[in-house]
Amino acid sequence: MSRPFGQLPGWADYVLMPVLNLGVAFGISALVVLFIGESPWEALTTMLDGALGRGEGIGYTLFYATNFIFTGLAVSVAFHCGLFNIGGEGQAYIGGLGAALVALAFDQVLPWWLTAPIAILAAASFGAAWALIPAWLQATRGSHIVITTIMFNFIAAALMVYLLVNVLKVPGAMAPETRTFAAGGQLPKLGWLLELFGLKIGAAPFNVSFLIALVAAFGVWVLIWRTRFGYEIRATGISPSAAIYAGIPYVRLVVVTMLISGGLAGMMALNPVMGDAQRLQVEFVGGAGFVGIAVALMGRSHPLGIVFAAILFGVLYQGGAELAFWIPTISRDMIIVIQGLVILFAGALEHMFRPALVALFARAIPARAG
Amino acid sequence: MTQTAAAPPAIELVGIDKSFGQVHANRDINLAVAAGSIHGIIGENGAGKSTLMSILYGFYQADRGDILIGGQKTVIRDSAAAIAAGIGMVHQHFMLVENFTVLENVMLGAEGGATLARGTAAAREELKRIEREYGLDVDPDAVIEELPVGRQQRVEILKALFRGAEILILDEPTGVLTPAEADHLFRILKVLKEQGKTVILITHKLREIMAITDTVSVMRRGELVATRRTAETTVEELAELMVGRRVLLRVDKGPAAPREVRLGVENLTVRDGRGVTMVDDVSFAVRAGEIVGIAGVAGNGQSELLEAIAGIRRPASGTITLGGKSVGGLDPAALRRRGLAHVPEDRHHMGLVLPFEENENAILGYHGAPEYCRGPFLSLDAMRRDAKAKIEKYDIRPPNCRLRTANFSGGNQQKIVLAREIERDPDVLIIGQPTRGVDIGAIEFIHRRIVEMRDAGKAILLVSVELDEIRALADRILVMFAGRVVGEERPDCGEQTLGMMMAGVSGGQGASA
Ligand SMILES: Nc1ncnc2c1ncn2[C@@H]1O[C@H](COP(=O)(O)OP(=O)(O)OP(=O)(O)O)[C@@H](O)[C@H]1O
Ligand SMILES: [Mg+2]
């Protein structure tokens, strides 16, 4: 082909661009902080110290990152197939139901390491099931998956509140939540892992789910770049017409891809439900499904990029909480604004600086032949 | 036609050099094109023609060298700068907004003001003036996707002229045109030249070079090896300069020895998405050991016929048989397993996934075959080994199976598709436009492979808008017009007869089996 549109060297695409986006987001955040009369520098150091300064902070950061790895992977798998799965939020929520039901059933009879695999399966299949109908509608009817998955988020929220209030709630208790799981339904903390680095985990809920997330990330890499099915996903995502030519069955591919995506989102529930709260609560997903979109974009839909981007967002979440605690004029809402800016620049406006950067490189590189 | 000494050349390239990693695409190119002339550039696939033009149009920056426009040294950073310098480009693959009208496309990027109304009226006037002046003949209010390719291309030319282009670059403009459309294009180019515009024309068709250019340059492996006045050279000399050896401009083949029917099509009717009948009750058979050519002006149902046979488009009625068994309703993957291979007409749309690595595209459609898989995993070793063998055999350049397919030149992309389909050694091979954008050296090779396939007893169905190609390769020619097979001819029949039939004037021996 003779259509040489803006290509950047790999390192610029994968490192420089995200750093640039992040820099701009932080720059604007600094202005906001300045505007309310606080020192941006102090805010930044407070935030970084809170997220990375001590073992407990790191534990929290990685705990949040675990959520985002799962949801980021979920979004990226669908992305590769040209599908925009906005339903991670709902799929994770329903995945929590699967995990909780398994934990409630087995926590008093099985040790955690036997409950966990069943719970993983249950969380993944519940999440996948929640993606099935939007996938089916997209594949056979062309109903846009963005719309249907958003609708399914609302249905999931309503369904879960109904179940928690009317079915799963402990009789006589006030809170709409299940009973606390016994030890057999709890995922152990990873204190030992932090201790290897001389850190103390403290109260942080950093748990085994993190390792499961890393395994899932590796699995997604293998799936997309090393299997026949991943080849078909990529071909369909890039060129649907070439995929038809190649005889790749569209309906089956879309449905299975969305099941995998929903399954990954569902597995996210393991972390807060079995790793932290030890019970199923309303709204436990807390927006992680949506953050996953920004994480996938920033991580260029590559598992390694997603892990890094997820950790970055973990820092933002944990650091933001610390910031709100230590500098009272910076309220929680302010933190949400800052997180929003990062999502805006790293996610939605991710390619804003690309044309300028491409032009810059086109100008700077010729000097270096080859 | 040659303004010597007095006027500076419209374009002068001095020592242009460009590399992509290992690939040295342009080496120290020096070229001057006189104002008001038509200059041809020819060369093998991957010789660096498109790259050189992309540098001139600001898509790439040269590593070294200068560009002089009208004697002035000019730095062309991007296409906006190229347009400002009076350079317009008609791309090999059009860059039009499909669901915009002609007028809207032409105005795009030159809307002039927040409200469209004023700009639109002015643009319409200007557009009409340009159309009159150059005989372009397109309706400003037609929607692009409803125009035939020939007209879409004229819109590209209009766009360039609207932006004040004095120099027009056309990269393989006739690849997608019917002969009549190509003639029309050349008439337009001649008018442009008379009006003092400068034209650079890249093409693989030496006949076109001889017919229309004033001067011609030959590129080989990144170098500009010769520049000739067209009047003082011959097709043979140009071919030899391009390839570096003598080229057989004719296909060498013995008589066919057809055997049993391998591909049967009976009463096939195909409708497009809007329900318009594109293939109308067509019947024919292709036997083992013969090449059947389908001639016809593009858009007379050939594409739909190919797609129906390949399982991409579901026919409205009729039967298709492979080796005597009905294969109606089978998908492309199942058909491949039954020994059908398909070289699609449009390699970008169908034949290739451009961002894929070459070796990934080399198995597209066969990615489920056991030799490329280990269980659910792809065997990267097998894929790459296989891709390397094909690269060697088909002389695909650069010989790098890890390169993104988009970074191969157009002709080399076509070879990737051909290698993939032919090397599967299918029983039935259906081919659409096998040599579109392929250089003459490679055409020779591809034609030889197709004839070898025939001699090995394969059944081959060939669709091409190049009448010469059909006549050279086919053992029997079916002519399609308005969705019907209107006649069958032998390849040695007169071009006149075929031309009449293609235009819908019935002749030959009538519709046949
Ligand atoms: N963006 C790119 N990155 C890497 N290599 C490239 C890129 N663009 C072109 N090339 C290489 O540069 C060489 C010249 O390509 P170019 O497209 O200019 O050839 P061409 O003469 O136009 O060939 P064709 O007749 O097939 O269109 C080829 O080997 C091609 O693979
Ligand atoms: Mg080219």
Side-chain angles (χ1 to χ4, degrees), chain A residues 1-2, chain B residues 20 23 25 43-51 60 92 172 204 397-398 403 407-412 437:
Chain A
M1 191 176 68
S2 320
Chain B
F20 298 103
V23 182
E44 287 182 287
N45 296 129
K49 306 178 294 290
S50 296
T51 303
Y60 292 135
Q92 210 165 345
E172 295 188 41
H204 286 293
R397 289 181 221 165
L403 192 66
N407 291 346
F408 283 87
S409 75
N412 281 298

Side-chain angles (χ1 to χ4, degrees), chain A residues 1-5 7 222 225-229 231-232 234-235 238-239 241-242 244-248 362-363 366-370, chain B residues 50 59-62 77 92 95 332 336 342 344 348-350 355-356 360 364-365 367-368 373 375-378 380 408 413 420-421:
Chain A
M1 191 176 68
S2 320
R3 221 162 46 174
F5 275 132
Q7 280 179 20
V222 171
W225 280 284
R226 287 294 179 271
T227 69
R228 197 167 65 213
F229 191 73
Y231 178 96
E232 295 189 334
R234 285 182 294 135
I238 300 168
S239 173
S241 51
I244 292 171
Y245 162 80
I248 295 168
R363 224 164 289 182
R368 199 197 67 192
Chain B
S50 296
F59 265 162
Y60 292 135
Q61 304 297 306
R77 292 230 163 87
Q92 210 165 345
M95 307 208 166
R336 276 193 188 90
H342 173 204
H348 283 172
H349 190 58
M350 279 198 181
F356 270 17
E360 292 178 303
L364 186 69
H367 54 276
C373 296
F377 299 101
L378 289 170
L380 298 189
F408 283 87
Q413 291 172 355
R420 177 182 72 213
E421 300 302 325

Side-chain angles (χ1 to χ4, degrees), chain A residues 18 35 37 47 66 77 91 104 114 162 173 185 193 237 241 252 262 281 287 334 353 369:
Chain A
F35 184 70
M47 199 161 145
T66 306
V77 167
Q91 289 145 16
L104 289 172
L114 282 178
Y162 171 82
L193 188 63
S241 51
R252 203 188 76 199
Q281 298 167 303
M334 204 58 132
F353 299 110

Side-chain angles (χ1 to χ4, degrees), chain A residues 145-204:
Chain A
I145 201 145
V146 168
I147 308 294
T148 48
T149 48
I150 289 179
M151 296 195 327
F152 267 66
N153 285 341
F154 286 104
I155 302 175
L159 177 68
M160 288 297 282
V161 169
Y162 171 82
L163 288 176
L164 279 165
V165 171
N166 296 295
V167 184
L168 296 167
K169 189 168 69 90
V170 183
M174 293 291 287
E177 55 188 33
T178 63
R179 69 167 169 83
T180 304
F181 310 144
Q186 302 182 1
L187 295 176
K189 301 266 181 77
L190 286 178
W192 57 270
L193 188 63
L194 291 185
E195 268 160 32
L196 289 183
F197 299 95
L199 297 164
K200 290 224 166 51
I201 188 169

Side-chain angles (χ1 to χ4, degrees), chain B residues 175-487:
Chain B
V176 289
L177 300 188
T178 63
E181 285 173 330
D183 283 345
H184 192 147
L185 172 66
F186 290 152
R187 282 203 299 282
I188 294 169
L189 295 186
K190 282 196 175 127
V191 177
L192 287 172
K193 177 183 147 183
E194 279 158 20
Q195 306 276 348
K197 313 263 177 198
T198 309
V199 177
I200 298 184
L201 172 72
I202 298 180
T203 178
H204 286 293
K205 297 175 190 162
L206 298 179
R207 212 157 25 114
E208 295 174 352
I209 292 286
M210 302 308 290
I212 186 156
T213 63
D214 301 310
T215 46
V216 53
S217 297
V218 183
M219 291 189 68
R220 189 159 80 217
R221 305 202 177 212
E223 278 173 280
L224 206 142
V225 292
T227 297
R228 296 273 188 276
R229 278 169 186 248
T230 312
E232 294 163 8
T233 186
T234 61
V235 169
E236 285 74 20
E237 186 196 18
L238 290 178
E240 198 172 331
L241 281 168
M242 251 170 86
V243 186
R245 63 179 163 85
R246 292 198 73 88
V247 188
L248 201 61
L249 293 168
R250 202 168 40 72
V251 184
D252 240 349
K253 75 183 212 305
R259 300 200 312 266
E260 77 283 1
V261 172
R262 278 277 171 74
L263 171 68
V265 172
E266 270 154 52
N267 306 106
L268 189 72
T269 298
V270 184
R271 302 212 168 87
D272 70 3
R274 289 167 299 173
V276 179
T277 302
M278 298 305 289
V279 177
D280 190 2
D281 193 24
V282 164
S283 302
F284 63 87
V286 184
R287 296 169 177 277
E290 73 168 348
I291 302 174
V292 173
I294 295 199
V297 177
N300 275 285
Q302 304 96 313
S303 308
E304 289 77 9
L305 176 66
L306 277 189
E307 287 180 15
I309 297 173
I312 291 168
R313 207 179 266 270
R314 197 169 278 278
S317 62
T319 50
I320 300 170
T321 56
L322 271 187
K325 289 201 205 63
S326 171
V327 291
L330 289 186
D331 66 79
L335 289 166
R336 276 193 188 90
R337 282 194 294 274
R338 273 160 222 242
L340 179 87
H342 173 204
V343 177
E345 290 184 297
D346 184 342
R347 58 177 172 255
H348 283 172
H349 190 58
M350 279 198 181
L352 296 167
V353 181
L354 289 173
F356 270 17
E357 288 178 8
E358 194 274 344
N359 69 84
E360 292 178 303
N361 267 314
I363 63 166
L364 186 69
Y366 304 100
H367 54 276
E371 58 266 45
Y372 302 128
C373 296
R374 262 177 288 127
F377 299 101
L378 289 170
S379 163
L380 298 189
D381 280 349
M383 283 164 61
R384 289 177 192 164
R385 219 178 315 116
D386 192 82
K388 277 183 195 137
K390 285 174 186 157
I391 284 174
E392 178 136 339
K393 185 158 181 186
Y394 284 74
D395 189 24
I396 294 167
R397 289 181 221 165
N400 175 1
C401 73
R402 299 292 311 277
L403 192 66
R404 273 163 61 101
T405 312
N407 291 346
F408 283 87
S409 75
N412 281 298
Q413 291 172 355
Q414 181 70 1
K415 289 203 242 172
I416 296 171
V417 177
L418 281 162
R420 177 182 72 213
E421 300 302 325
I422 292 180
E423 292 308 305
R424 286 305 290 190
D425 198 26
D427 290 336
V428 177
L429 177 63
I430 61 176
I431 316 181
Q433 320 298 347
T435 54
R436 178 176 281 174
V438 176
D439 70 55
I440 50 170
I443 288 178
E444 185 191 21
F445 170 79
I446 290 166
H447 284 179
R448 210 168 51 225
R449 286 294 292 134
I450 293 175
V451 172
E452 274 169 27
M453 294 278 290
R454 178 199 75 166
D455 293 342
K458 314 296 182 185
I460 298 170
L461 181 68
L462 170 80
V463 169
S464 173
V465 291
E466 303 282 335
L467 215 46
D468 291 343
E469 176 160 64
I470 296 243
R471 278 153 56 89
L473 282 176
D475 300 308
R476 292 191 290 136
I477 301 176
L478 304 176
V479 183
M480 268 188 94
F481 177 75
R484 293 177 150 268
V485 171
V486 293

